[in-house]
Amino acid sequence: MPDTLKITLAQLNQSVGDISGNAAGVLAAREAAKGSDLIVFPELHLIGYPPEDLILKPSLIERAAAQLQILAEASAGDGPAMLVGSAFVLDGALHNGVALLDQGKVQAVRLKHELPNYGTFDEMRLFQPGPLPEPVILRGTMIGVPICEDIWRSEVCRHLADFGAEMLVCINGSPYEINKDALRIEGVAKRRAVDTGLPLAYLNRVGGQDELVFDGASFVVNGDGGLAVQLRDWEEQVVQTNWTRTATGWRCDRGMVADLAVHPEDIYCAMVLALRDYVNRNGFPGVVLGLSGGIDSATCAAIAVDALGADRVWGVMMPSRFTAAQSREDAASCAKALGIRYTEMPIGTAVDGFDFMLGEAFEGTQRDLAEENLQSRIRGAALMALSNKFGPMLVTTGNKSEMSVGYATIYGDMAGGYNPLKDAYKMTVFALARWRNGHVPRIGLGPARPVIPESTLTRAPTAELRDGQRDDDTLPPYETLDPILIGLVEHDKSVEQLVKEGFERSLVQHVERLLHLAEYKRRQAAPGVKLTARNFGRDRRYPITHAFRSG
């Protein structure tokens, strides 16, 4: 029985449904890890996570099973055994599981016991839970292989330890949320390690999948809770970890301990990686977006350049008679600093055309929101025309504060294929912009210099749809609005609770009313990367039609 083991953690990106591509990545990583005894891949790696209802297609399950057998046969050659996540049908039931491939065969299959059914997860809808798992045996060592949610509760790890597991190797598809890396290590993994006395290797996937993004940040903790290995976040890595059998059991040797991105770089990297994978995997040659001279569009342009490179980003300024000269200057300066293609396309003639077309119908009325929103819808139509004609995906740029209260024009500035800022409040956007002016994200492709004009950061936010318009004509200042929204959206607080925290009752009631009224807009909004625990869409699912108010 060996006293040392070499276990390689393959923190890889996945493409949902690309079974052959994911399998090729498995084999390439195994080739790079030939000196190891075992190489481990993330949850459902062969199919991609999360597969959603794609997993219900029998043809996908059949193809995954055939590909798994090919991988098993490949394990007969030189190189490590493999732990590969996939889906399995046993006795007619579909399971999320992991297979141990070694010596040319599928040596064992273990099934996920705890199926998450909260927030972004609805695995109970797709899978059946497996029984409490037994360890697998590799080179005479009993290895427990809990799958993701299996370690968030104590039962599975306790059962594995009682059954004789000597270490825990947990494969995961754990989406990024702000501060979640600390929760994984301190709140979950260390507790399971100390509770069982067993070292725990935690392997997470990396990459974007629609509205989710996975940060990687895989690690190993020993049975005493000490951190032995920490992989980087936001990047693919294939890292060998070295294990030694001691008098008290297995222990992971001290290895790579990388620093994780600190706030707000973590949020910025989440946006960059999510946009990059969304654009590339959906086959777009690049992106186009409206550059207004404001903070949101400038920040989105910077994210797009860091995600795709300047040559794949097209900024379009569409001034009207209400657009300030400073806005035009700021948009042009931002485009120049980023090095992107830039076009100025005035919309005055289109506005005049709509005024003429609607003149008879609107006769006898005062100019109001209808005419203001026409400008936004003209811009949306023009940007979509560029997208249709030349192929780039339209990036929409509204932030979470605006989307919370409906301060956005449906079929206008909400038009687009993806929104990097969808889950970022306005004050977060300001923090991201200031951070980016002084830093370059390590996964970024953009220039190492300030890219957002200082006047963009200091001017009062405005939609510029009428003379002298400012956001705070309609909304409370964002310094006040955002904390109210965080209370209502992120924490489900009532009006009464927020009043006790010092906010004016009438203001909180007004914001809550706007929040509920805007649900129909949010249902029609572009997808965007999840950053918080309660993003609009996957996490927070409210009816459009309801009469409840909390105060």
Side-chain angles (χ1 to χ4, degrees):
M1 186 178 298
D3 291 326
T4 61
L5 280 174
K6 297 182 185 299
I7 300 175
T8 291
L9 304 180
Q11 178 176 290
L12 299 181
N13 207 328
Q14 310 163 353
S15 181
V16 169
D18 184 7
I19 295 170
S20 60
N22 293 335
V26 167
L27 293 176
R30 182 175 185 267
E31 181 67 22
K34 274 196 171 177
S36 293
D37 299 292
L38 175 68
I39 183 168
V40 187
F41 298 90
E43 181 178 10
L44 279 179
H45 185 76
L46 192 55
I47 290 168
Y49 188 85
E52 301 186 75
D53 282 8
L54 194 66
I55 201 74
L56 301 178
K57 285 189 170 293
S59 58
L60 180 134
I61 300 301
E62 292 166 6
R63 192 174 301 176
Q67 190 67 67
L68 187 72
Q69 186 58 42
I70 293 171
L71 292 176
E73 292 168 3
S75 72
D78 290 341
M82 296 179 276
L83 278 173
V84 180
S86 189
F88 301 87
V89 176
L90 298 175
D91 298 325
L94 184 62
H95 295 275
N96 182 342
V98 60
L100 174 64
L101 312 180
D102 192 24
Q103 299 177 353
K105 297 179 181 179
V106 177
Q107 298 287 352
V109 172
R110 296 294 181 262
L111 307 176
K112 191 173 184 177
H113 179 69
E114 300 286 357
L115 299 180
N117 206 54
Y118 55 86
T120 64
F121 307 105
D122 51 7
E123 289 194 28
M124 288 185 183
R125 183 171 180 272
L126 304 173
F127 299 108
Q128 293 296 314
L132 283 168
E134 300 175 7
V136 300
I137 301 175
L138 179 74
R139 313 292 186 261
T141 298
M142 297 185 73
I143 302 175
V145 286
I147 301 173
C148 203
E149 190 74 9
D150 285 344
I151 71 166
W152 287 74
R153 304 179 191 181
S154 61
E155 185 180 19
V156 171
C157 292
R158 185 70 266 164
H159 173 81
L160 287 165
D162 291 344
F163 209 94
E166 299 171 74
M167 65 176 67
L168 302 173
V169 177
C170 181
I171 64 171
N172 297 268
S174 180
Y176 168 78
E177 286 176 13
I178 296 169
N179 295 326
K180 194 173 184 181
D181 49 0
L183 177 61
R184 293 179 191 134
I185 298 176
E186 301 294 336
V188 179
K190 286 188 176 182
R191 290 176 61 183
R192 298 295 165 261
V194 171
D195 288 347
T196 61
L198 301 178
L200 186 151
Y202 181 103
L203 174 67
N204 191 27
R205 70 156 293 194
V206 69
Q209 173 58 31
D210 294 345
E211 292 197 282
L212 301 181
V213 66
F214 299 83
D215 53 328
S218 306
F219 58 88
V220 180
V221 292
N222 277 312
D224 59 5
L227 183 67
V229 174
Q230 174 69 70
L231 275 62
R232 292 193 295 268
D233 47 1
W234 308 114
E235 300 176 55
E236 287 189 307
Q237 284 191 282
V238 178
V239 174
Q240 180 178 282
T241 61
N242 300 309
W243 299 68
T244 304
R245 188 193 299 272
T246 70
T248 56
W250 284 98
R251 185 172 183 84
C252 183
D253 299 342
R254 179 78 172 181
M256 170 187 187
V257 179
D259 291 329
L260 301 180
V262 297
H263 190 78
E265 183 180 8
D266 58 337
I267 298 177
Y268 195 91
C269 286
M271 294 172 168
V272 166
L273 188 54
L275 181 64
R276 177 182 295 161
D277 282 350
Y278 191 86
V279 170
N280 290 339
R281 288 185 175 150
N282 285 292
F284 291 102
V287 298
V288 62
L289 74 161
L291 268 183
S292 67
I295 186 73
D296 296 328
S297 64
T299 303
C300 276
I303 291 165
V305 169
D306 282 320
L308 305 170
D311 60 330
R312 298 178 66 191
V313 180
W314 184 3
V316 184
M317 158 53 94
M318 292 173 286
S320 74
R321 67 185 181 90
F322 302 114
T323 302
Q326 187 66 58
S327 297
R328 297 168 79 162
E329 292 174 14
D330 286 349
S333 295
C334 180
K336 183 178 180 181
L338 288 167
I340 64 175
R341 179 181 179 183
Y342 178 71
T343 301
E344 188 166 295
M345 186 184 299
I347 64 169
T349 55
V351 172
D352 291 344
F354 270 92
D355 284 345
F356 178 78
M357 182 179 75
L358 293 166
E360 184 175 344
F362 282 9
E363 188 174 359
T365 65
Q366 296 294 315
R367 294 184 68 87
D368 57 15
L369 193 63
E371 285 84 359
E372 291 179 20
N373 284 342
L374 267 176
Q375 298 168 67
S376 182
R377 293 188 173 116
I378 287 166
R379 292 183 173 114
L383 289 167
M384 279 305 306
L386 296 177
S387 176
N388 291 161
K389 178 65 73 173
F390 302 107
M393 184 193 75
L394 175 56
V395 169
T396 184
T397 63
N399 61 70
K400 190 172 187 176
S401 303
E402 295 170 349
M403 291 308 306
S404 295
V405 296
Y407 193 66
T409 304
I410 195 165
Y411 322 124
D413 59 343
M414 287 177 61
Y418 202 81
N419 182 0
L421 302 184
K422 184 176 182 178
D423 203 25
Y425 290 102
K426 187 74 170 190
M427 298 309 296
T428 301
V429 177
F430 274 104
L432 290 169
R434 291 193 180 280
W435 178 86
R436 179 58 181 86
N437 270 359
H439 304 82
V440 179
R442 67 167 180 265
I443 63 168
L445 304 177
R449 58 175 175 264
V451 294
I452 298 173
E454 185 62 26
S455 56
T456 296
L457 293 165
T458 56
R459 291 173 66 209
T462 172
E464 293 190 318
L465 298 178
R466 63 175 182 269
D467 283 327
Q469 184 182 27
R470 291 167 47 130
D471 289 6
D472 56 15
D473 295 337
T474 305
L475 302 174
Y478 289 109
E479 294 86 348
T480 302
L481 176 62
D482 282 3
I484 294 174
L485 289 173
I486 289 169
L488 293 171
V489 175
E490 311 299 329
H491 303 294
D492 278 325
K493 292 182 178 179
S494 67
V495 169
E496 195 63 40
Q497 286 175 296
L498 290 170
V499 169
K500 288 180 180 178
E501 292 178 11
F503 295 101
E504 182 184 339
R505 180 180 298 276
S506 62
L507 177 58
V508 178
Q509 289 174 326
H510 175 61
V511 171
E512 185 192 52
R513 177 178 177 275
L514 293 177
L515 175 67
H516 290 315
L517 289 177
E519 185 63 37
Y520 85 99
K521 288 188 178 181
R522 292 190 291 269
R523 290 286 185 94
Q524 301 177 69
V529 60
K530 167 184 165 65
L531 305 171
T532 70
R534 297 298 303 278
N535 76 317
F536 292 128
R538 298 185 67 99
D539 286 321
R540 188 181 184 276
R541 307 177 192 183
Y542 269 60
I544 295 173
T545 307
H546 71 90
F548 178 77
R549 300 293 184 267
S550 71

